[in-house]
Amino acid sequence: MNTNEAHESLERLPEHAPRLDWAQLAPDAFKAMVRLDTAAKQGVEPVLLNLVKIRASQINHCAFCLDMHSKDALAAGESVERIFQLDAWRESRHFYTAKEIAAIELTEAVTVLTDGFVPDEVYARAATEFDESELARLIVAITTINAWNRFGVSTRLVPGHYTPAT
């Protein structure tokens, strides 16, 4: 039996069920989130936006968002290598630009607020790579994906069924 046959013969575990359909049960909030998401995309480079969405989703353990944004990034031409390395970006900085590293670092600081604040040095590094308007829009994008992650994780949205728009 070759490796592919062995892999195919393994039965996957069943999918979990979502806890509830929050978008259907709170449609006004869902529509507001969609409008916020649309606004959050304005003025943020698409490649950078995908990295931010994937990194925040990794930190927040949102499998649904990881599935969606990794597929979107691949469909937009992002490399598998850069997506795989994102969780270990500190050891693989050479895959990213200085601007991307600043955005990834800011994403982590805004996503993990258990230390109480976004460190001045992290903000300062981002401020050297982005002008004020870009930085404001980046913070909106980071905040928005964190909100989506919290909806996804709390309601247990099921990953694996998303297909990127073409």
Side-chain angles (χ1 to χ4, degrees):
M1 180 180 320
N2 67 36
T3 306
N4 287 340
E5 291 171 341
H7 185 268
E8 291 172 9
S9 70
L10 298 176
E11 189 172 331
R12 290 184 178 188
L13 295 174
E15 288 183 359
H16 65 269
R19 288 181 172 146
L20 56 82
D21 185 348
W22 80 271
Q24 182 181 353
L25 296 167
D28 291 341
F30 178 75
K31 289 174 189 171
M33 281 298 302
V34 170
R35 287 191 305 274
L36 177 60
D37 194 62
T38 299
K41 294 176 185 175
Q42 304 303 313
V44 181
E45 298 168 18
V47 170
L48 189 67
L49 184 61
N50 283 327
L51 293 174
V52 164
K53 287 180 175 185
I54 294 167
R55 185 64 191 123
S57 299
Q58 288 171 334
I59 294 165
N60 290 322
H61 307 286
C62 185
F64 180 85
C65 292
L66 274 171
D67 178 59
M68 174 185 286
H69 301 302
S70 295
K71 288 176 178 175
D72 283 344
L74 289 168
E78 183 59 81
S79 74
V80 171
E81 189 171 50
R82 283 173 31 107
I83 293 171
F84 285 168
Q85 292 299 318
L86 191 54
D87 194 36
W89 67 267
R90 284 178 180 82
E91 291 82 29
S92 54
R93 299 169 76 87
H94 59 283
F95 287 103
Y96 309 99
T97 67
K99 192 171 191 173
E100 290 168 341
I101 291 294
I104 293 164
E105 190 174 29
L106 185 62
T107 299
E108 289 186 358
V110 171
T111 300
V112 184
L113 291 174
T114 53
D115 292 337
F117 58 92
V118 174
D120 290 339
E121 56 277 3
V122 170
Y123 187 88
R125 280 191 289 278
T128 64
E129 295 294 335
F130 299 91
D131 67 30
E132 282 189 337
S133 177
E134 291 172 321
L135 190 54
R137 292 175 184 279
L138 178 60
I139 292 169
V140 171
I142 294 167
T143 301
T144 303
I145 187 56
N146 272 280
W148 283 120
N149 288 164
R150 279 142 178 81
F151 286 119
V153 170
S154 63
T155 63
R156 295 193 73 208
L157 294 177
V158 181
H161 302 284
Y162 177 77
T163 303
T166 53

